[in-house]
Amino acid sequence: MWVLTGVVLGAMLVVGTSVMADRQTQSLQSLPIEQLRAFVEVYERISSSYVEPIEDSKMLENAISGMLSNLDPHSAYLPPENFEKVEEHTRGEFGGLGMEVGTEDGFVKVIAPIDDTPAQRAGVQAGDLIIRLDDKSVKGMSLTDAVKLMRGEPGSTIKLTIMRQGQREPIELELTRAVIKVKSVRQRMLDKDLGYVRISQFQVRTGRDLVDAIRTLDKENEGPLKGLILDLRNNPGGVLNASVDVSNVFLDEGLIVYTEGRIDSAKMRFEAKRGDLLQGRPLIILVNEGSASASEIVAGALQDHGRALVVGRTTFGKGSVQTLLPLNNGAAIKLTTALYYTPSGRSIQAEGIKPDIVIDRVNVERVANIGLGLRTEATLENHLGNGKKDEEQVDTEEKADLLAEDYELHEALNLLRSMVFMSRGR
């Protein structure tokens, strides 16, 4: 073991000498030799004295993982199998529970559940803290290891124990793993001339899918939309370029986002080029505390340009850029390399995007008419009809049901109607 330690120490000192020479040339900084010696000493003590033998490769991998996980909640070491899963995730198909997670106070924090996935159907909410996975505490567990536990064979189950703000006791949820196929863009008409598009996650194709969705709504409306609601609630983000593509759909020109980091490659600027598909017609963006990263880029850019009214609640505040850096062994590191800024220079990191109009989180219940003897025209015998076709009345009732179940969307639609009305005089 001492031979191995000597080899490791020698190798590290050779590398250290080489790196030191480079750094002295560049910035006159030296490597912390005493800390490197302490690292080798700890490595040897674990190798020789830990209760069970541990493979050297495993120890070094753990050291790398710890080095990254202690930087910030988003940097991580990705072994080869995890690196492959990240690539699947950006393509929009992967196995698991269907939620974006980070870390907070040593626990796993849900940034947002993804639409139509086991997590969303089980009632997992943005902001939940996962404290146990089956019988294992996640306190102090690396995010990579926690994600590995949550993934598994489709059809298998896992029990999540979570803490939720406002709840005194832990909540236990049993979820069945599934192959997660994320359709990032969905659309529907809310009213005559008024459309709704939901983006659940930013993938490589999201910008193109958004254009297709708006054109589909125009066709369904038999004419151009007069207003649109873009729903980014509980959207945890995704591909940076996709957020630029989405912002491009609604801007004719101008800066969308820029990033600042220590190295030149981390300094980027993205400008609008596409042209406003809605041609300036009213646009509302719905956000909440589960809107993060790429969602915040879109909301911040369109808010700064005065192109959209942002409504809802302050967003998550993830304003950092992670770069995937492949390693020679097939693994990769996910490293925070920059912070991004809105066109006006606002940093979103730990601040989020503040909405123009706040819609508080409330529970709304439909109250049945219970008054004795309550009579309306429709209850009178032989009352006249209102001229609506049956299918039109059913469609109206379906929209009313949707909005009764979603108070935030209901309020956003009322705002959009007002904006369309006010724009008629322009």
Side-chain angles (χ1 to χ4, degrees), residues 76-120:
Y77 173 68
L78 304 173
E81 63 274 15
N82 294 69
F83 183 29
E84 291 174 6
K85 288 184 171 66
V86 169
E87 292 181 313
E88 291 172 3
H89 191 90
T90 60
R91 290 194 300 267
E93 183 172 329
F94 54 96
L97 303 177
M99 55 185 168
E100 187 78 11
V101 294
T103 56
E104 183 175 292
D105 299 328
F107 295 110
V108 175
K109 182 175 183 177
V110 178
I111 296 174
I114 300 170
D115 288 353
D116 198 26
T117 62
Q120 191 258 348

mmCIF file of all heavy atoms in Angstrom, residues 76-120:
data_model
loop_
_atom_site.group_PDB
_atom_site.id
_atom_site.type_symbol
_atom_site.label_atom_id
_atom_site.label_comp_id
_atom_site.label_asym_id
_atom_site.label_seq_id
_atom_site.Cartn_x
_atom_site.Cartn_y
_atom_site.Cartn_z
ATOM 1 N N ALA A 76 -21.413 18.443 -10.893
ATOM 2 C CA ALA A 76 -21.436 17.029 -10.517
ATOM 3 C C ALA A 76 -20.511 16.222 -11.410
ATOM 4 O O ALA A 76 -20.192 16.624 -12.532
ATOM 5 C CB ALA A 76 -22.857 16.472 -10.617
ATOM 6 N N TYR A 77 -20.101 15.076 -10.873
ATOM 7 C CA TYR A 77 -19.353 14.093 -11.654
ATOM 8 C C TYR A 77 -20.344 13.093 -12.217
ATOM 9 O O TYR A 77 -21.219 12.585 -11.501
ATOM 10 C CB TYR A 77 -18.324 13.384 -10.777
ATOM 11 C CG TYR A 77 -17.624 12.223 -11.457
ATOM 12 C CD1 TYR A 77 -16.747 12.439 -12.517
ATOM 13 C CD2 TYR A 77 -17.845 10.907 -11.044
ATOM 14 C CE1 TYR A 77 -16.104 11.384 -13.155
ATOM 15 C CE2 TYR A 77 -17.204 9.842 -11.664
ATOM 16 C CZ TYR A 77 -16.340 10.091 -12.719
ATOM 17 O OH TYR A 77 -15.711 9.050 -13.350
ATOM 18 N N LEU A 78 -20.245 12.803 -13.500
ATOM 19 C CA LEU A 78 -21.176 11.892 -14.164
ATOM 20 C C LEU A 78 -20.408 10.682 -14.682
ATOM 21 O O LEU A 78 -19.712 10.776 -15.700
ATOM 22 C CB LEU A 78 -21.883 12.598 -15.323
ATOM 23 C CG LEU A 78 -22.634 13.893 -14.982
ATOM 24 C CD1 LEU A 78 -23.141 14.553 -16.254
ATOM 25 C CD2 LEU A 78 -23.773 13.621 -14.031
ATOM 26 N N PRO A 79 -20.506 9.540 -13.978
ATOM 27 C CA PRO A 79 -19.908 8.317 -14.521
ATOM 28 C C PRO A 79 -20.501 8.016 -15.897
ATOM 29 O O PRO A 79 -21.546 8.586 -16.265
ATOM 30 C CB PRO A 79 -20.327 7.255 -13.489
ATOM 31 C CG PRO A 79 -20.624 8.004 -12.238
ATOM 32 C CD PRO A 79 -21.177 9.329 -12.699
ATOM 33 N N PRO A 80 -19.870 7.124 -16.662
ATOM 34 C CA PRO A 80 -20.328 6.889 -18.043
ATOM 35 C C PRO A 80 -21.827 6.635 -18.177
ATOM 36 O O PRO A 80 -22.476 7.203 -19.067
ATOM 37 C CB PRO A 80 -19.512 5.663 -18.462
ATOM 38 C CG PRO A 80 -18.245 5.787 -17.677
ATOM 39 C CD PRO A 80 -18.641 6.370 -16.356
ATOM 40 N N GLU A 81 -22.402 5.806 -17.276
ATOM 41 C CA GLU A 81 -23.831 5.494 -17.414
ATOM 42 C C GLU A 81 -24.695 6.717 -17.139
ATOM 43 O O GLU A 81 -25.744 6.922 -17.764
ATOM 44 C CB GLU A 81 -24.240 4.343 -16.493
ATOM 45 C CG GLU A 81 -24.079 4.608 -14.996
ATOM 46 C CD GLU A 81 -22.689 4.307 -14.468
ATOM 47 O OE1 GLU A 81 -21.762 4.155 -15.289
ATOM 48 O OE2 GLU A 81 -22.541 4.217 -13.236
ATOM 49 N N ASN A 82 -24.277 7.591 -16.209
ATOM 50 C CA ASN A 82 -25.041 8.804 -15.925
ATOM 51 C C ASN A 82 -24.912 9.825 -17.047
ATOM 52 O O ASN A 82 -25.857 10.547 -17.362
ATOM 53 C CB ASN A 82 -24.566 9.420 -14.613
ATOM 54 C CG ASN A 82 -24.865 8.545 -13.418
ATOM 55 O OD1 ASN A 82 -24.269 7.488 -13.266
ATOM 56 N ND2 ASN A 82 -25.779 8.972 -12.577
ATOM 57 N N PHE A 83 -23.743 9.886 -17.668
ATOM 58 C CA PHE A 83 -23.520 10.783 -18.798
ATOM 59 C C PHE A 83 -24.461 10.430 -19.944
ATOM 60 O O PHE A 83 -25.063 11.300 -20.581
ATOM 61 C CB PHE A 83 -22.060 10.705 -19.239
ATOM 62 C CG PHE A 83 -21.689 11.650 -20.352
ATOM 63 C CD1 PHE A 83 -22.339 12.862 -20.516
ATOM 64 C CD2 PHE A 83 -20.672 11.326 -21.241
ATOM 65 C CE1 PHE A 83 -21.990 13.735 -21.534
ATOM 66 C CE2 PHE A 83 -20.312 12.194 -22.257
ATOM 67 C CZ PHE A 83 -20.979 13.394 -22.403
ATOM 68 N N GLU A 84 -24.640 9.136 -20.184
ATOM 69 C CA GLU A 84 -25.556 8.693 -21.244
ATOM 70 C C GLU A 84 -26.980 9.122 -20.933
ATOM 71 O O GLU A 84 -27.730 9.519 -21.827
ATOM 72 C CB GLU A 84 -25.483 7.169 -21.391
ATOM 73 C CG GLU A 84 -24.154 6.664 -21.963
ATOM 74 C CD GLU A 84 -24.074 5.144 -21.944
ATOM 75 O OE1 GLU A 84 -25.089 4.511 -21.601
ATOM 76 O OE2 GLU A 84 -22.998 4.609 -22.265
ATOM 77 N N LYS A 85 -27.363 9.050 -19.645
ATOM 78 C CA LYS A 85 -28.728 9.416 -19.266
ATOM 79 C C LYS A 85 -28.973 10.904 -19.448
ATOM 80 O O LYS A 85 -30.069 11.330 -19.801
ATOM 81 C CB LYS A 85 -29.006 8.988 -17.823
ATOM 82 C CG LYS A 85 -29.152 7.483 -17.653
ATOM 83 C CD LYS A 85 -29.520 7.122 -16.220
ATOM 84 C CE LYS A 85 -29.873 5.640 -16.088
ATOM 85 N NZ LYS A 85 -28.763 4.745 -16.335
ATOM 86 N N VAL A 86 -27.943 11.732 -19.192
ATOM 87 C CA VAL A 86 -28.081 13.168 -19.418
ATOM 88 C C VAL A 86 -28.353 13.447 -20.888
ATOM 89 O O VAL A 86 -29.191 14.271 -21.248
ATOM 90 C CB VAL A 86 -26.822 13.919 -18.948
ATOM 91 C CG1 VAL A 86 -26.847 15.370 -19.426
ATOM 92 C CG2 VAL A 86 -26.728 13.875 -17.427
ATOM 93 N N GLU A 87 -27.641 12.742 -21.770
ATOM 94 C CA GLU A 87 -27.859 12.931 -23.210
ATOM 95 C C GLU A 87 -29.263 12.487 -23.607
ATOM 96 O O GLU A 87 -29.912 13.118 -24.436
ATOM 97 C CB GLU A 87 -26.801 12.150 -23.993
ATOM 98 C CG GLU A 87 -25.395 12.738 -23.829
ATOM 99 C CD GLU A 87 -24.351 11.984 -24.621
ATOM 100 O OE1 GLU A 87 -24.346 10.741 -24.553
ATOM 101 O OE2 GLU A 87 -23.555 12.635 -25.297
ATOM 102 N N GLU A 88 -29.754 11.397 -23.005
ATOM 103 C CA GLU A 88 -31.133 10.963 -23.260
ATOM 104 C C GLU A 88 -32.111 12.042 -22.830
ATOM 105 O O GLU A 88 -33.097 12.328 -23.500
ATOM 106 C CB GLU A 88 -31.438 9.674 -22.478
ATOM 107 C CG GLU A 88 -30.701 8.436 -22.966
ATOM 108 C CD GLU A 88 -30.912 7.257 -22.038
ATOM 109 O OE1 GLU A 88 -31.673 7.409 -21.053
ATOM 110 O OE2 GLU A 88 -30.311 6.199 -22.271
ATOM 111 N N HIS A 89 -31.822 12.663 -21.680
ATOM 112 C CA HIS A 89 -32.699 13.677 -21.114
ATOM 113 C C HIS A 89 -32.875 14.847 -22.078
ATOM 114 O O HIS A 89 -33.987 15.346 -22.287
ATOM 115 C CB HIS A 89 -32.090 14.167 -19.792
ATOM 116 C CG HIS A 89 -33.008 15.016 -18.977
ATOM 117 N ND1 HIS A 89 -33.856 14.496 -18.035
ATOM 118 C CD2 HIS A 89 -33.204 16.352 -18.962
ATOM 119 C CE1 HIS A 89 -34.530 15.468 -17.462
ATOM 120 N NE2 HIS A 89 -34.148 16.616 -18.005
ATOM 121 N N THR A 90 -31.791 15.321 -22.688
ATOM 122 C CA THR A 90 -31.887 16.452 -23.607
ATOM 123 C C THR A 90 -32.606 16.070 -24.899
ATOM 124 O O THR A 90 -33.169 16.918 -25.572
ATOM 125 C CB THR A 90 -30.490 17.006 -23.948
ATOM 126 O OG1 THR A 90 -29.711 15.985 -24.566
ATOM 127 C CG2 THR A 90 -29.787 17.494 -22.692
ATOM 128 N N ARG A 91 -32.615 14.773 -25.233
ATOM 129 C CA ARG A 91 -33.351 14.328 -26.426
ATOM 130 C C ARG A 91 -34.829 14.160 -26.137
ATOM 131 O O ARG A 91 -35.632 14.058 -27.049
ATOM 132 C CB ARG A 91 -32.772 13.003 -26.944
ATOM 133 C CG ARG A 91 -31.393 13.126 -27.555
ATOM 134 C CD ARG A 91 -31.041 11.872 -28.345
ATOM 135 N NE ARG A 91 -31.052 10.681 -27.519
ATOM 136 C CZ ARG A 91 -29.980 10.189 -26.906
ATOM 137 N NH1 ARG A 91 -28.825 10.807 -27.012
ATOM 138 N NH2 ARG A 91 -30.054 9.088 -26.174
ATOM 139 N N GLY A 92 -35.200 14.086 -24.823
ATOM 140 C CA GLY A 92 -36.604 14.037 -24.472
ATOM 141 C C GLY A 92 -37.138 12.667 -24.153
ATOM 142 O O GLY A 92 -38.342 12.492 -24.067
ATOM 143 N N GLU A 93 -36.286 11.663 -23.962
ATOM 144 C CA GLU A 93 -36.775 10.329 -23.605
ATOM 145 C C GLU A 93 -35.779 9.678 -22.648
ATOM 146 O O GLU A 93 -34.597 9.558 -22.954
ATOM 147 C CB GLU A 93 -36.942 9.468 -24.848
ATOM 148 C CG GLU A 93 -37.514 8.090 -24.549
ATOM 149 C CD GLU A 93 -37.846 7.311 -25.806
ATOM 150 O OE1 GLU A 93 -38.205 7.929 -26.813
ATOM 151 O OE2 GLU A 93 -37.753 6.077 -25.758
ATOM 152 N N PHE A 94 -36.267 9.286 -21.465
ATOM 153 C CA PHE A 94 -35.400 8.679 -20.473
ATOM 154 C C PHE A 94 -36.258 7.945 -19.453
ATOM 155 O O PHE A 94 -37.472 8.103 -19.404
ATOM 156 C CB PHE A 94 -34.523 9.738 -19.769
ATOM 157 C CG PHE A 94 -35.303 10.881 -19.177
ATOM 158 C CD1 PHE A 94 -35.664 10.883 -17.846
ATOM 159 C CD2 PHE A 94 -35.675 11.956 -19.962
ATOM 160 C CE1 PHE A 94 -36.379 11.932 -17.292
ATOM 161 C CE2 PHE A 94 -36.394 13.014 -19.426
ATOM 162 C CZ PHE A 94 -36.744 13.003 -18.087
ATOM 163 N N GLY A 95 -35.636 7.119 -18.630
ATOM 164 C CA GLY A 95 -36.369 6.363 -17.630
ATOM 165 C C GLY A 95 -36.268 7.014 -16.273
ATOM 166 O O GLY A 95 -35.258 7.611 -15.937
ATOM 167 N N GLY A 96 -37.329 6.892 -15.461
ATOM 168 C CA GLY A 96 -37.270 7.454 -14.115
ATOM 169 C C GLY A 96 -38.622 7.906 -13.623
ATOM 170 O O GLY A 96 -39.657 7.337 -13.959
ATOM 171 N N LEU A 97 -38.619 8.971 -12.801
ATOM 172 C CA LEU A 97 -39.836 9.451 -12.154
ATOM 173 C C LEU A 97 -40.389 10.709 -12.804
ATOM 174 O O LEU A 97 -41.565 11.000 -12.671
ATOM 175 C CB LEU A 97 -39.568 9.720 -10.666
ATOM 176 C CG LEU A 97 -39.032 8.522 -9.869
ATOM 177 C CD1 LEU A 97 -38.741 8.939 -8.432
ATOM 178 C CD2 LEU A 97 -40.014 7.361 -9.908
ATOM 179 N N GLY A 98 -39.522 11.481 -13.474
ATOM 180 C CA GLY A 98 -40.003 12.655 -14.186
ATOM 181 C C GLY A 98 -40.005 13.932 -13.377
ATOM 182 O O GLY A 98 -41.050 14.569 -13.228
ATOM 183 N N MET A 99 -38.854 14.295 -12.825
ATOM 184 C CA MET A 99 -38.761 15.580 -12.126
ATOM 185 C C MET A 99 -37.330 16.086 -12.179
ATOM 186 O O MET A 99 -36.386 15.312 -12.249
ATOM 187 C CB MET A 99 -39.232 15.464 -10.672
ATOM 188 C CG MET A 99 -38.529 14.414 -9.851
ATOM 189 S SD MET A 99 -39.268 14.271 -8.214
ATOM 190 C CE MET A 99 -38.498 12.755 -7.643
ATOM 191 N N GLU A 100 -37.209 17.404 -12.159
ATOM 192 C CA GLU A 100 -35.898 18.045 -12.110
ATOM 193 C C GLU A 100 -35.567 18.309 -10.653
ATOM 194 O O GLU A 100 -36.396 18.823 -9.890
ATOM 195 C CB GLU A 100 -35.930 19.365 -12.884
ATOM 196 C CG GLU A 100 -34.588 20.034 -13.052
ATOM 197 C CD GLU A 100 -33.738 19.403 -14.140
ATOM 198 O OE1 GLU A 100 -34.271 18.573 -14.897
ATOM 199 O OE2 GLU A 100 -32.558 19.749 -14.225
ATOM 200 N N VAL A 101 -34.366 17.942 -10.232
ATOM 201 C CA VAL A 101 -34.008 18.064 -8.820
ATOM 202 C C VAL A 101 -32.667 18.771 -8.649
ATOM 203 O O VAL A 101 -31.833 18.812 -9.550
ATOM 204 C CB VAL A 101 -33.962 16.679 -8.128
ATOM 205 C CG1 VAL A 101 -35.341 16.055 -8.069
ATOM 206 C CG2 VAL A 101 -32.976 15.741 -8.835
ATOM 207 N N GLY A 102 -32.470 19.322 -7.460
ATOM 208 C CA GLY A 102 -31.203 19.905 -7.049
ATOM 209 C C GLY A 102 -30.956 19.513 -5.608
ATOM 210 O O GLY A 102 -31.550 18.554 -5.106
ATOM 211 N N THR A 103 -30.097 20.237 -4.909
ATOM 212 C CA THR A 103 -29.836 19.936 -3.508
ATOM 213 C C THR A 103 -30.054 21.179 -2.653
ATOM 214 O O THR A 103 -29.861 22.310 -3.118
ATOM 215 C CB THR A 103 -28.395 19.431 -3.287
ATOM 216 O OG1 THR A 103 -27.468 20.401 -3.801
ATOM 217 C CG2 THR A 103 -28.181 18.108 -3.991
ATOM 218 N N GLU A 104 -30.452 20.959 -1.403
ATOM 219 C CA GLU A 104 -30.612 22.050 -0.446
ATOM 220 C C GLU A 104 -30.498 21.483 0.960
ATOM 221 O O GLU A 104 -31.212 20.531 1.321
ATOM 222 C CB GLU A 104 -31.962 22.756 -0.610
ATOM 223 C CG GLU A 104 -32.154 23.941 0.324
ATOM 224 C CD GLU A 104 -33.438 24.702 0.068
ATOM 225 O OE1 GLU A 104 -33.539 25.345 -0.999
ATOM 226 O OE2 GLU A 104 -34.339 24.656 0.922
ATOM 227 N N ASP A 105 -29.590 22.044 1.748
ATOM 228 C CA ASP A 105 -29.380 21.617 3.131
ATOM 229 C C ASP A 105 -29.118 20.120 3.244
ATOM 230 O O ASP A 105 -29.542 19.467 4.204
ATOM 231 C CB ASP A 105 -30.591 21.994 4.006
ATOM 232 C CG ASP A 105 -30.825 23.499 4.054
ATOM 233 O OD1 ASP A 105 -29.829 24.242 3.981
ATOM 234 O OD2 ASP A 105 -31.991 23.919 4.148
ATOM 235 N N GLY A 106 -28.428 19.554 2.264
ATOM 236 C CA GLY A 106 -28.087 18.145 2.317
ATOM 237 C C GLY A 106 -29.172 17.218 1.819
ATOM 238 O O GLY A 106 -28.975 15.996 1.760
ATOM 239 N N PHE A 107 -30.344 17.759 1.464
ATOM 240 C CA PHE A 107 -31.437 16.942 0.948
ATOM 241 C C PHE A 107 -31.630 17.212 -0.543
ATOM 242 O O PHE A 107 -31.087 18.173 -1.096
ATOM 243 C CB PHE A 107 -32.743 17.233 1.704
ATOM 244 C CG PHE A 107 -32.711 16.847 3.151
ATOM 245 C CD1 PHE A 107 -32.700 17.812 4.143
ATOM 246 C CD2 PHE A 107 -32.670 15.511 3.531
ATOM 247 C CE1 PHE A 107 -32.672 17.468 5.475
ATOM 248 C CE2 PHE A 107 -32.634 15.150 4.863
ATOM 249 C CZ PHE A 107 -32.629 16.129 5.849
ATOM 250 N N VAL A 108 -32.437 16.356 -1.190
ATOM 251 C CA VAL A 108 -32.765 16.547 -2.604
ATOM 252 C C VAL A 108 -33.995 17.444 -2.694
ATOM 253 O O VAL A 108 -35.022 17.155 -2.077
ATOM 254 C CB VAL A 108 -33.039 15.191 -3.292
ATOM 255 C CG1 VAL A 108 -33.489 15.409 -4.726
ATOM 256 C CG2 VAL A 108 -31.793 14.311 -3.257
ATOM 257 N N LYS A 109 -33.890 18.530 -3.434
ATOM 258 C CA LYS A 109 -35.007 19.465 -3.579
ATOM 259 C C LYS A 109 -35.599 19.358 -4.972
ATOM 260 O O LYS A 109 -34.876 19.344 -5.964
ATOM 261 C CB LYS A 109 -34.541 20.898 -3.328
ATOM 262 C CG LYS A 109 -35.675 21.920 -3.413
ATOM 263 C CD LYS A 109 -35.220 23.300 -3.035
ATOM 264 C CE LYS A 109 -36.392 24.281 -3.049
ATOM 265 N NZ LYS A 109 -35.995 25.632 -2.611
ATOM 266 N N VAL A 110 -36.915 19.277 -5.031
ATOM 267 C CA VAL A 110 -37.616 19.222 -6.320
ATOM 268 C C VAL A 110 -37.697 20.628 -6.893
ATOM 269 O O VAL A 110 -38.288 21.526 -6.288
ATOM 270 C CB VAL A 110 -39.031 18.633 -6.156
ATOM 271 C CG1 VAL A 110 -39.762 18.621 -7.497
ATOM 272 C CG2 VAL A 110 -38.964 17.223 -5.579
ATOM 273 N N ILE A 111 -37.056 20.823 -8.042
ATOM 274 C CA ILE A 111 -37.192 22.104 -8.740
ATOM 275 C C ILE A 111 -38.552 22.154 -9.425
ATOM 276 O O ILE A 111 -39.287 23.125 -9.303
ATOM 277 C CB ILE A 111 -36.051 22.284 -9.760
ATOM 278 C CG1 ILE A 111 -34.710 22.350 -9.020
ATOM 279 C CG2 ILE A 111 -36.264 23.547 -10.597
ATOM 280 C CD1 ILE A 111 -33.508 22.394 -9.931
ATOM 281 N N ALA A 112 -38.902 21.078 -10.125
ATOM 282 C CA ALA A 112 -40.225 21.003 -10.744
ATOM 283 C C ALA A 112 -40.495 19.591 -11.231
ATOM 284 O O ALA A 112 -39.592 18.935 -11.763
ATOM 285 C CB ALA A 112 -40.334 21.974 -11.915
ATOM 286 N N PRO A 113 -41.738 19.096 -11.030
ATOM 287 C CA PRO A 113 -42.129 17.848 -11.692
ATOM 288 C C PRO A 113 -42.432 18.122 -13.152
ATOM 289 O O PRO A 113 -42.840 19.238 -13.507
ATOM 290 C CB PRO A 113 -43.403 17.436 -10.932
ATOM 291 C CG PRO A 113 -43.979 18.737 -10.457
ATOM 292 C CD PRO A 113 -42.818 19.653 -10.200
ATOM 293 N N ILE A 114 -42.211 17.136 -14.003
ATOM 294 C CA ILE A 114 -42.456 17.284 -15.437
ATOM 295 C C ILE A 114 -43.873 16.804 -15.753
ATOM 296 O O ILE A 114 -44.354 15.829 -15.165
ATOM 297 C CB ILE A 114 -41.413 16.486 -16.243
ATOM 298 C CG1 ILE A 114 -40.008 17.015 -15.930
ATOM 299 C CG2 ILE A 114 -41.677 16.571 -17.735
ATOM 300 C CD1 ILE A 114 -38.894 16.161 -16.483
ATOM 301 N N ASP A 115 -44.528 17.488 -16.646
ATOM 302 C CA ASP A 115 -45.914 17.168 -16.988
ATOM 303 C C ASP A 115 -46.089 15.704 -17.376
ATOM 304 O O ASP A 115 -45.257 15.127 -18.082
ATOM 305 C CB ASP A 115 -46.394 18.036 -18.162
ATOM 306 C CG ASP A 115 -46.611 19.487 -17.752
ATOM 307 O OD1 ASP A 115 -46.524 19.782 -16.557
ATOM 308 O OD2 ASP A 115 -46.865 20.310 -18.649
ATOM 309 N N ASP A 116 -47.223 15.133 -16.920
ATOM 310 C CA ASP A 116 -47.649 13.794 -17.344
ATOM 311 C C ASP A 116 -46.575 12.738 -17.083
ATOM 312 O O ASP A 116 -46.276 11.912 -17.936
ATOM 313 C CB ASP A 116 -48.042 13.801 -18.824
ATOM 314 C CG ASP A 116 -48.882 12.578 -19.198
ATOM 315 O OD1 ASP A 116 -49.550 12.027 -18.296
ATOM 316 O OD2 ASP A 116 -48.840 12.155 -20.362
ATOM 317 N N THR A 117 -46.000 12.765 -15.888
ATOM 318 C CA THR A 117 -45.006 11.778 -15.469
ATOM 319 C C THR A 117 -45.426 11.216 -14.119
ATOM 320 O O THR A 117 -46.321 11.766 -13.456
ATOM 321 C CB THR A 117 -43.610 12.413 -15.334
ATOM 322 O OG1 THR A 117 -43.656 13.425 -14.304
ATOM 323 C CG2 THR A 117 -43.152 13.035 -16.648
ATOM 324 N N PRO A 118 -44.799 10.122 -13.663
ATOM 325 C CA PRO A 118 -45.161 9.561 -12.350
ATOM 326 C C PRO A 118 -45.080 10.592 -11.225
ATOM 327 O O PRO A 118 -45.940 10.611 -10.333
ATOM 328 C CB PRO A 118 -44.134 8.450 -12.169
ATOM 329 C CG PRO A 118 -43.811 7.996 -13.560
ATOM 330 C CD PRO A 118 -43.840 9.255 -14.379
ATOM 331 N N ALA A 119 -44.063 11.453 -11.233
ATOM 332 C CA ALA A 119 -43.911 12.448 -10.171
ATOM 333 C C ALA A 119 -45.082 13.428 -10.158
ATOM 334 O O ALA A 119 -45.658 13.719 -9.099
ATOM 335 C CB ALA A 119 -42.595 13.201 -10.337
ATOM 336 N N GLN A 120 -45.436 13.909 -11.339
ATOM 337 C CA GLN A 120 -46.528 14.879 -11.419
ATOM 338 C C GLN A 120 -47.861 14.250 -11.041
ATOM 339 O O GLN A 120 -48.662 14.831 -10.319
ATOM 340 C CB GLN A 120 -46.581 15.473 -12.835
ATOM 341 C CG GLN A 120 -47.490 16.680 -12.974
ATOM 342 C CD GLN A 120 -48.823 16.328 -13.618
ATOM 343 O OE1 GLN A 120 -48.992 15.241 -14.162
ATOM 344 N NE2 GLN A 120 -49.768 17.239 -13.533
#
